[in-house]
Amino acid sequence: MAERSTAAVDVADTSGDKPLTAKAEQSTADGVAKNRERDTEDVEAQGSGGTESPGKASSPELHSGHKLARRYRLEECVTRLDGFSSWRAVDEKLRRAVGVHILPADHARARSVLAAARSSALLGDPRFVQVLDAVEENDLVYVVHEWLPDATELTTLLAPGPLEVYDAYQMVTQVASAMAAAHREGLAHLRLNPNAVLRTSSGQWRIRGLAVNAALRGVSSESPQRTDTEAIGALLYAALTQRWPYESDAYGLAGLPKDVGLIAPDQVRAGVHRGLSELSMRALANDGATASRHESACTTPEELVKAIGEMPRIRPPEPAFTAPPEYQRTTYQQGTYGRPAPHPGVTQPVPPPPPPLQSRTGRALKWAVSALLIAALGLGSWQLADALMDQGGKSDENQNQTTDDGDKNSTAPKPTKTLSIEDAQEYVAQGDAQHPGDVKLTYDNSTTTGWRTSSYKDGPKIVIKPGVGIVYDLGSAQDVSAATLSFRYGGNHTTVELYAADSLTPASLDSLDKIGSATTNSTGATVKVGKQVKSRYVLVWLTAMPYSGADSANYSDAGYKQAITNVKFTG
């Protein structure tokens, strides 16, 4: 038996030669045959041990240090079960950690595992842990996948308690969106559980084992979309309540009380967000019942994404204010000279301030100080009045004089004015355009319309192109001092840059003069021009955008995206 580490697994117990199982019955809302899935130790669990079931094809006799394809050096066996084994390994060519599943080429599921791995690799969606290689060689079939050392399983995250509301919202939003994309390509997971969902150090959620986990276990479903949707509902239920929504305990979570049935998360735990509670119930199969308000059930990940988009957006919590440390008096200030030194480690009380002077001398001193203050105030007022009268006389004299310099000697700041926008055009530095037909909606003085970007999988910084944006025509060369922008989406974070352009269609971004930049977490930003510039054309350029869920009102999918609803230039 491989050595067990501290990472959580599906059911963290083994007995004898056979792993302990916990059966979670999952029924479909439309009467489809029930799909039973054994909650044994997860194939993908990083750092968990397993045992081999008797009567199955034997896993190849491999050991730490063994190399596959003279490249992948096996380091630690994390699972040995059902005729296959899973390892943490090192890709010596690229010098990085990877995960490897290995099974004999004559294993009953070897062909289906290879097919599932290759299909998953073709998807190339960064929201899933990527399959890097799928090979049949020397009587072995092995699948190599990413290893994320900075990621934490949902199982581990739930050990101390349920997730915060915003974290649960982000988890279900990102997982549902990713699974909807996978199903559009004909791929299902079928083993979507708390061990298969990871949160990276940057806060993004990743899914591992797409198609491959089910193929390794021989799991199938007559209604794969319903199975994965119900699994997402179970994940959300667990995230909100720290309970597994079935009677059996699983994934380190206690199940629901027996003979009670499936009850809404906000009835299991006080303070659960009502909208997320109902969303979970809409995704879970509950013998035909849906949420407490009787919305229609969500039977596909796409329907779940739509339901999330119709919810009021849950914003991240405000950062907590940390009070500065208290001012500490020194020994000299505390007046401890001549006193015995305090014992080490003993906190000495700070003495209260001395009482105000009550003696005759003290009263006389207070009256003297008051008299001096009154005299100073009187003198200052007289001098101020005299200066004002003097200034008034000079102003009257200056009104009747003219100079050859005109306004050159004036020190008053020039008033700012709003510059008119005559035309605009989307600028495409690389790749495809966003929505060029909507650029005029950014200067129609309405924040309900606007131009939007595409939804990107990576972010906040745009990685597949240098940026996206719009060139504005001010009609003639103008002194530009600032640009004020209104956005549709807030969150971490939007970065906008300003460039002075030579036309509505600049030749290249490198040829433009950058004149200002700003980063905001809200739905508005003011970009101040750092140097005096006069230009007819100004490029508003987005280089980073926040993550937001699907937006049915804006016809956009979940991802890193932004929409500019209004732009004003001042000069």
Side-chain angles (χ1 to χ4, degrees):
M1 184 184 300
E3 182 180 356
R4 178 181 299 274
S5 70
T6 58
V9 290
D10 288 13
V11 178
D13 189 20
T14 55
S15 176
D17 294 328
K18 195 170 185 178
L20 181 66
T21 63
K23 298 183 179 179
E25 182 172 297
Q26 302 183 353
S27 60
T28 60
D30 54 3
V32 178
K34 296 182 178 179
N35 175 35
R36 289 185 178 270
E37 183 176 335
R38 295 193 308 167
D39 296 324
T40 56
E41 294 179 278
D42 194 276
V43 175
E44 292 282 349
Q46 296 185 16
S48 62
T51 58
E52 184 175 348
S53 298
K56 302 291 183 181
S58 297
S59 180
E61 291 298 328
L62 301 171
H63 54 83
S64 297
H66 184 91
K67 286 187 183 180
L68 299 173
R70 299 181 179 179
R71 174 176 179 177
Y72 303 112
R73 186 181 74 249
L74 304 183
E75 293 285 315
E76 178 188 8
C77 183
V78 296
T79 303
R80 193 184 299 274
L81 183 73
D82 208 14
F84 66 87
S85 58
S86 298
W87 295 74
R88 177 177 60 81
V90 174
D91 181 350
E92 293 187 334
K93 183 175 181 180
L94 298 180
R95 297 181 180 179
R96 62 179 179 182
V98 294
V100 184
H101 302 303
I102 307 173
L103 65 165
D106 59 355
H107 194 286
R109 295 193 287 272
R111 305 271 76 76
S112 60
V113 169
L114 272 177
R118 289 166 179 170
S119 298
S120 179
L122 289 175
L123 180 62
D125 191 323
R127 292 172 293 189
F128 295 92
V129 174
Q130 299 293 293
V131 171
L132 306 174
D133 211 349
V135 180
E136 181 177 359
E137 181 183 66
N138 298 332
D139 298 326
L140 293 177
V141 166
Y142 57 90
V143 176
V144 183
H145 61 86
E146 283 184 293
W147 187 275
L148 306 178
D150 68 331
T152 307
E153 297 173 356
L154 180 59
T155 308
T156 304
L157 295 173
L158 292 177
L163 298 184
E164 295 294 333
V165 173
Y166 179 73
D167 292 333
Y169 173 73
Q170 285 293 312
M171 185 275 293
V172 71
T173 298
Q174 295 182 36
V175 171
S177 178
M179 289 310 305
H183 278 280
R184 284 195 293 269
E185 299 299 324
L187 290 171
H189 197 292
L190 306 183
R191 291 278 301 169
L192 200 56
N193 56 51
N195 286 339
V197 177
L198 316 170
R199 187 174 68 182
T200 66
S201 57
S202 63
Q204 301 306 306
W205 294 88
R206 304 281 298 272
I207 302 171
R208 65 182 173 196
L210 178 66
V212 176
N213 271 12
L216 284 166
R217 298 300 184 93
V219 174
S220 62
S221 173
E222 295 180 3
S223 52
Q225 294 210 48
R226 185 67 188 91
T227 299
D228 281 344
T229 305
E230 182 179 347
I232 298 172
L235 291 173
L236 179 57
Y237 196 105
L240 296 173
T241 65
Q242 200 189 14
R243 299 290 291 267
W244 191 236
Y246 304 100
E247 290 186 354
S248 300
D249 299 348
Y251 313 110
L253 302 171
L256 297 178
K258 298 186 182 299
D259 303 325
V260 172
L262 182 60
I263 53 179
D266 57 0
Q267 297 176 9
V268 174
R269 197 179 194 98
V272 170
H273 188 277
R274 179 67 179 274
L276 292 178
S277 174
E278 293 182 350
L279 185 70
S280 173
M281 294 296 286
R282 291 177 67 181
L284 280 166
N286 187 23
D287 295 331
T290 56
S292 57
R293 292 184 182 176
H294 306 290
E295 292 96 340
S296 59
C298 297
T299 59
T300 68
E302 200 74 55
E303 291 177 358
L304 192 57
V305 169
K306 183 179 179 182
I308 295 170
E310 292 170 350
M311 288 177 54
R313 187 162 180 256
I314 299 174
R315 297 191 177 277
E318 294 293 332
F321 172 75
T322 303
E326 287 189 15
Y327 172 71
Q328 298 293 330
R329 297 182 179 181
T330 65
T331 303
Y332 174 78
Q333 290 169 324
Q334 293 176 1
T336 57
Y337 176 75
R339 298 179 188 175
H343 294 287
V346 178
T347 303
Q348 298 298 315
V350 178
L357 295 172
Q358 299 297 331
S359 64
R360 182 179 302 173
T361 303
R363 286 195 297 270
L365 181 60
K366 286 193 290 184
W367 279 110
V369 171
S370 300
L372 287 173
L373 287 175
I374 293 171
L377 287 172
L379 179 62
S381 300
W382 175 77
Q383 289 177 336
L384 177 61
D386 186 57
L388 289 174
M389 291 176 66
D390 226 9
Q391 186 65 31
K394 291 180 181 178
S395 298
D396 291 339
E397 293 176 5
N398 290 337
Q399 286 178 0
N400 297 323
Q401 297 178 5
T402 58
T403 64
D404 294 336
D405 294 335
D407 293 335
K408 290 182 181 178
N409 295 328
S410 174
T411 59
K414 294 182 179 180
T416 60
K417 64 175 181 178
T418 301
L419 307 178
S420 62
I421 299 175
E422 301 294 332
D423 197 6
Q425 184 170 314
E426 183 177 315
Y427 177 57
V428 182
Q430 182 179 326
D432 299 328
Q434 307 297 294
H435 295 88
D438 295 336
V439 293
K440 295 185 184 299
L441 301 178
T442 62
Y443 57 97
D444 60 354
N445 292 322
S446 172
T447 57
T448 60
T449 59
W451 167 87
R452 63 185 175 89
T453 71
S454 301
S455 297
Y456 294 95
K457 298 174 182 177
D458 296 316
K461 184 178 179 180
I462 303 173
V463 296
I464 65 171
K465 55 175 60 184
V468 293
I470 302 171
V471 179
Y472 292 90
D473 180 3
L474 305 181
S476 61
Q478 301 283 346
D479 288 319
V480 182
S481 60
T484 303
L485 300 98
S486 297
F487 300 118
R488 181 178 180 88
Y489 307 108
N492 291 337
H493 57 260
T494 300
T495 299
V496 57
E497 300 173 349
L498 293 186
Y499 290 85
D502 53 3
S503 69
L504 278 175
T505 55
S508 69
L509 189 65
D510 295 334
S511 66
L512 306 183
D513 185 15
K514 183 177 177 181
I515 57 177
S517 65
T519 297
T520 180
N521 294 332
S522 67
T523 56
T526 297
V527 186
K528 294 183 179 179
V529 175
K531 58 184 178 180
Q532 187 174 3
V533 65
K534 198 166 188 176
S535 179
R536 174 176 175 176
Y537 304 97
V538 180
L539 170 61
V540 174
W541 194 239
L542 302 179
T543 59
M545 302 180 294
Y547 186 91
S548 184
D551 189 345
S552 57
N554 205 25
Y555 304 103
S556 64
D557 295 331
Y560 293 93
K561 58 186 177 180
Q562 190 52 276
I564 300 176
T565 59
N566 201 39
V567 173
K568 286 186 178 180
F569 295 98
T570 53

